Amino acid sequence: MKETDFIGGFAKGLKVIEAFDAAKPRLSITDIAKLTGLDRATARRCLLTLAALGYADYDGKFFSLTPRILRLGHAYLSATPLPSLLQPHLDQLSEAVGQSASASVLDGEEIVYIARAAQKRVMSINLLPGSRLPAWCSSMGRVLLAALGDEEVRQRLARARLEPLTPFTRVDPQELLAEIGRVRAQGYAVIDQELEIGLCSIAVPVRDVTGRVVVAINIGAPAAVVAAADMPKLYLPELVAIQQQLAVTLR
């Protein structure tokens, strides 16, 4: 891309939007400047522009995003047929195994949920389309990372914040790279309470007609009910059946 084709102001505005999250729903100009690396004047102009357009509220000190911001995410969900194609298959899968089933795509160092069929809540957070989780310690994230080359995986791990979320979380880059290699070889990933205590999950990739991995699907279950070691025996056949159905559907 040519330098003249890059709109710096637009990029800064997106960076400001991305600074808000569940842990930081209300931010001041100073907060935004620190989080984004922008100077205070630029951060202020971006925030006031968002407020003027209705994408943010301002109480005189703190800014917070408004529901209008959902239009940006809805544009993606409306433009891609994946969620509507996936949902009936996830419903079928969830009903068959009696556990929650989800689908996600890879975005940088995170996965983004695009469809979900919940039998019961197995995580402390409420996962919905648009929810994000770290790719490196989630089952769907690992199968999506496994579709990339080792060098690309190394780069993404280098950019990620490899912090332990539970006592079981793997954070060593070399260990993660080796695990992702095993996932690539066996065709599925199992997570044993690395993302959250009490949660186990198993995921497989789904390919389009060209053979490219476009989405991952998983089954999540309480560790107290299903041991991670038992997940391939219990759920992999059902996952593979849906995987094969989707391979045909995505043609």
Side-chain angles (χ1 to χ4, degrees), residues 207-220:
R207 300 176 185 274
D208 64 13
V209 68
T210 68
R212 182 174 63 97
V213 172
V214 292
V215 67
I217 57 174
N218 88 337
I219 292 170

Side-chain angles (χ1 to χ4, degrees), residues 114-132:
I114 62 171
R116 182 164 167 80
Q119 284 278 330
K120 58 196 76 174
R121 188 163 168 178
V122 294
M123 293 190 70
S124 62
I125 59 173
N126 190 20
L127 294 173
L128 299 167
S131 296
R132 290 174 171 268

Side-chain angles (χ1 to χ4, degrees), residues 12 28 43 55 60 70 72 91 112 126-127 148 193 206 213 217 220:
K12 291 170 184 175
S28 67
Y55 288 104
L70 293 173
L72 304 179
D91 291 340
V112 182
N126 190 20
L127 294 173
L148 307 175
Q193 303 184 82
V206 176
V213 172
I217 57 174

Side-chain angles (χ1 to χ4, degrees), residues 8 36 64 69 98 108 114 118 125 153 162 174 180 229 237 243:
T36 62
S64 58
I69 206 77
I114 62 171
I125 59 173
V153 174
L162 303 180
Q174 291 306 312
I180 290 166
Q243 180 190 50

Side-chain angles (χ1 to χ4, degrees), residues 87 89-103 113 115-123 125-127 139-140 199-203 217-222 231 235 239:
Q87 193 62 56
H89 295 277
L90 293 181
D91 291 340
Q92 175 187 338
L93 177 61
S94 179
E95 188 66 28
V97 301
Q99 302 291 351
S100 297
S102 306
Y113 279 67
R116 182 164 167 80
Q119 284 278 330
K120 58 196 76 174
R121 188 163 168 178
V122 294
M123 293 190 70
I125 59 173
N126 190 20
L127 294 173
S139 60
M140 289 189 287
L199 172 70
C200 296
S201 65
I202 181 171
I217 57 174
N218 88 337
I219 292 170
M231 296 198 89
Y235 301 137
L239 273 170

Side-chain angles (χ1 to χ4, degrees), residues 31-100:
D31 295 330
I32 287 289
K34 288 179 180 177
L35 290 167
T36 62
L38 300 173
D39 59 70
R40 276 182 53 86
T42 301
R44 178 177 178 275
R45 288 197 301 273
C46 288
L47 287 165
L48 290 175
T49 300
L50 288 172
L53 294 174
Y55 288 104
D57 280 331
Y58 182 42
D59 64 6
K61 182 176 181 181
F62 292 103
F63 290 83
S64 58
L65 297 180
T66 69
R68 189 184 183 93
I69 206 77
L70 293 173
R71 290 186 179 187
L72 304 179
H74 182 70
Y76 165 77
L77 292 174
S78 300
T80 176
L82 267 179
S84 58
L85 288 173
L86 290 164
Q87 193 62 56
H89 295 277
L90 293 181
D91 291 340
Q92 175 187 338
L93 177 61
S94 179
E95 188 66 28
V97 301
Q99 302 291 351
S100 297

